[in-house]
Amino acid sequence: RDKKRIFSCYQDLKLENIQASYLVSLLINKFQEMYNVSVLIKAGMGQNDIASLFNVSSGRAYYMVKNAKGTLQSVIKRNLDLLNDLDFNIKTGKVDQNLGIELYFLN
């Protein structure tokens, strides 16, 4: 939600030659992970179950659960929808990747 910090981080990534389309893919994966963990939590799974299912350490599972619990499922779903649309528009050439991700960050 801190747009100034978001753009500062994005500028740092651009300096490291990270393409915006790659960043979109990373964000989609992260929001998909958060959504999946959120659904599993609602189904009654705990941190240890999630660690086992995703084959990650208990420390990593802790943060996965923390992120999923700290964000409304509707917000996660909305971001997934926006990012998937952006990814499609970038790949079809309808939107410039840098402009597209900057508009996403402003949204």
Side-chain angles (χ1 to χ4, degrees), residues 12-91:
D12 290 345
L13 290 171
K14 280 177 65 174
L15 291 175
E16 295 294 324
N17 293 321
I18 304 294
Q19 290 189 8
S21 57
Y22 178 71
L23 186 55
V24 170
S25 295
L26 289 176
L27 289 169
I28 288 171
N29 289 338
K30 185 54 65 179
F31 277 107
Q32 185 64 54
E33 176 185 274
M34 286 174 61
Y35 182 78
N36 291 338
V37 171
S38 176
V39 168
L40 294 172
I41 291 169
K42 285 188 177 187
M45 292 186 91
Q47 179 180 324
N48 291 333
D49 300 321
I50 290 170
S52 177
L53 183 66
F54 284 91
N55 196 27
V56 295
S57 69
S58 61
R60 173 75 180 108
Y62 167 81
Y63 286 105
M64 290 168 71
V65 169
K66 181 180 174 186
N67 289 338
K69 284 184 175 180
T71 309
L72 294 174
Q73 198 172 40
S74 61
V75 172
I76 296 170
K77 183 73 171 123
R78 183 177 65 83
N79 278 289
L80 263 174
D81 291 341
L82 290 170
L83 286 165
N84 280 318
D85 289 344
L86 175 58
D87 188 46
F88 177 79
N89 288 331
I90 288 171
K91 288 179 179 174

Side-chain angles (χ1 to χ4, degrees), residues 1-4 6 70-71 75:
R1 295 179 188 142
D2 184 353
K3 295 192 187 321
K4 186 174 184 179
I6 290 170
T71 309
V75 172

Side-chain angles (χ1 to χ4, degrees), residues 86 89-101 103:
L86 175 58
N89 288 331
I90 288 171
K91 288 179 179 174
T92 57
K94 293 179 183 174
V95 175
D96 174 71
Q97 62 181 338
N98 293 312
L99 177 63
I101 197 156
L103 290 173

